[in-house]
Amino acid sequence: MELALAEARAAAADGEIPVGAVVLGPDGAVLGTGRNARESDPDPTGHAEIIAIRAAARALGDRVLSGCTLVVTLEPCTMCAGVILAARLPRVVFGAWDEKAGAVGSQYDLLRDGRLPHPVPEVVAGVREAESVELLRAFFAARR
């Protein structure tokens, strides 16, 4: 989570919403990192999770990320949850809950929706939550 938080801080420094993500391989090695880049790219899909997942898939040479873990500072949205399922990520760890757009337990729970034909990933929420929340709070307070 420390690396994901560092990515989130870098996103904030770039004027992006401070969200950072890391994909770890089965052995714990970093396969991909990402930070929000929707404004700087400009790309509506430029979420930290998607950038990290794309990098990990390139590193492995495979779209299926078996045995990998996604670590992200904010609960993934519906778009990112769909990509998590498509990549067959078996584990997702996140910091802050997203009470407005979260899709991994707060507003929606796409990862554990039994109607979808994908394996259900393990979800670990609230890891270094206070730090993740503070980055977001400070970012938006500075914008008001």
Side-chain angles (χ1 to χ4, degrees), residues 47 49 72 74-85 92 94 96-113 116 121 123 125:
H47 289 205
E49 301 95 311
V72 60
L74 181 65
E75 177 186 4
C77 69
T78 54
M79 176 179 66
C80 293
V83 172
I84 290 164
L85 291 172
V92 176
F94 70 87
W97 291 95
D98 185 345
E99 297 299 330
K100 291 183 180 179
V104 184
S106 60
Q107 291 300 312
Y108 308 98
D109 198 351
L110 291 180
L111 299 187
R112 292 174 280 210
D113 187 328
L116 298 173
V123 174

Side-chain angles (χ1 to χ4, degrees), residues 44-68:
T45 68
H47 289 205
E49 301 95 311
I50 291 177
I51 294 167
I53 290 168
R54 285 178 180 155
R58 281 192 303 272
L60 290 176
D62 196 340
R63 68 174 184 83
V64 176
L65 302 180
S66 299
C68 295

Side-chain angles (χ1 to χ4, degrees), residues 22-28 53 65-72 84 88-94 111 119-124:
V22 178
V23 175
L24 303 172
D27 62 355
I53 290 168
L65 302 180
S66 299
C68 295
T69 300
L70 171 68
V71 180
V72 60
I84 290 164
R88 305 291 194 269
L89 276 157
R91 190 173 310 97
V92 176
V93 176
F94 70 87
L111 299 187
V120 176
E122 173 189 3
V123 174
V124 179

